[in-house]
């Protein structure tokens, strides 16, 4: 079965600095997708970034980028130039064939001004 | 375009009572999912509807949980009778299409507290 592990329950970053959130996963499939979701306090969870496992190039969305290490089954999220609005719970998730997402336990990100 | 909506946002009930959660997906989305996050733990998949049919209900914890999606539109998740361990946040998500991957759009969740 798929598993996703986020080993950092909480992280802090100074505004304008860079922070990296860690995620490891386990799967027996060769084709799968990986995601980072963001859930701001009392708001809906939204997709931040997506990575297809067959693509070697790391995904990037503006200030958000991933470091996808397929052999190591690692999928970290880097947030550059952190902003106060980045403060949220971040979930790493994976998806194999089908549509069932498997989530990690989440990392709370605090941004200090 | 309206997003996924869930009702109620919060529910506090006594052990043994019944609670029904509702999810309205994005219009036109055939796929509807229920997930649950028990305090401090991972968000876990409960089940997946394609239109009105249950595609995958492997995550449903036991027969106290009943999900329906009449007419392939909104869905309800009923817990009867509720137990203390059912407390958590219940998320609904929807997606369109039948590709290998379809982005899931999440609702704000219903926070259920069983006392």
């Amino acid at each position: 079965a798929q598993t996703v592990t986020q080993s950092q329950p909480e992280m802090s970053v100074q505004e304008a600095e860079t922070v990296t959130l860690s995620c490891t996963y386990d799967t027996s499939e060769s084709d799968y997708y990986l995601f980072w979701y963001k859930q701001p306090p009392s708001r809906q969870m939204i997709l931040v970034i997506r990575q297809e496992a067959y693509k070697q190039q790391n995904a990037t969305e503006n200030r958000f980028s991933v470091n996808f290490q397929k052999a190591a089954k690692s999928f970290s999220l880097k947030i550059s130039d952190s902003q106060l609005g980045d403060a949220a719970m971040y979930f790493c998730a994976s998806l194999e064939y089908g549509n069932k997402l498997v989530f990690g336990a989440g990392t709370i990100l605090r941004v200090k001004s | 375009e309206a997003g996924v909506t869930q009702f109620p946002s919060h529910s506090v009930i006594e052990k043994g009572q019944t609670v029904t959660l509702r999810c309205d997906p994005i219009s036109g989305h055939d796929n509807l999912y229920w997930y649950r996050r028990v305090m401090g733990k991972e968000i876990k998949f409960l089940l997946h509807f394609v239109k009105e049919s249950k595609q995958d209900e492997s995550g449903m914890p036991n027969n106290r949980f009943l999900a329906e999606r009449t007419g392939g539109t909104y869905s309800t998740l009923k817990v009867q009778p509720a137990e203390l361990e059912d407390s958590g946040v219940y998320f609904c998500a929807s997606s369109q299409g039948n590709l290998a991957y379809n982005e899931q759009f999440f609702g704000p969740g219903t926070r259920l507290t069983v006392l």
Side-chain angles (χ1 to χ4, degrees), chain B residues 82-101:
Chain B
E83 299 288 344
L84 298 179
E85 63 265 24
D86 300 333
S87 295
V89 181
Y90 290 76
F91 293 100
C92 176
S94 71
S95 71
Q96 67 180 94
N98 58 358
L99 303 176
Y101 164 68

Side-chain angles (χ1 to χ4, degrees), chain B residues 21-39:
Chain B
L21 313 180
R22 173 170 169 144
C23 169
D24 286 77
I26 293 172
S27 178
H29 281 193
D30 288 339
N31 298 288
L32 187 148
Y33 314 83
W34 283 99
Y35 294 86
R36 174 175 77 168
R37 185 175 191 228
V38 173
M39 183 61 69

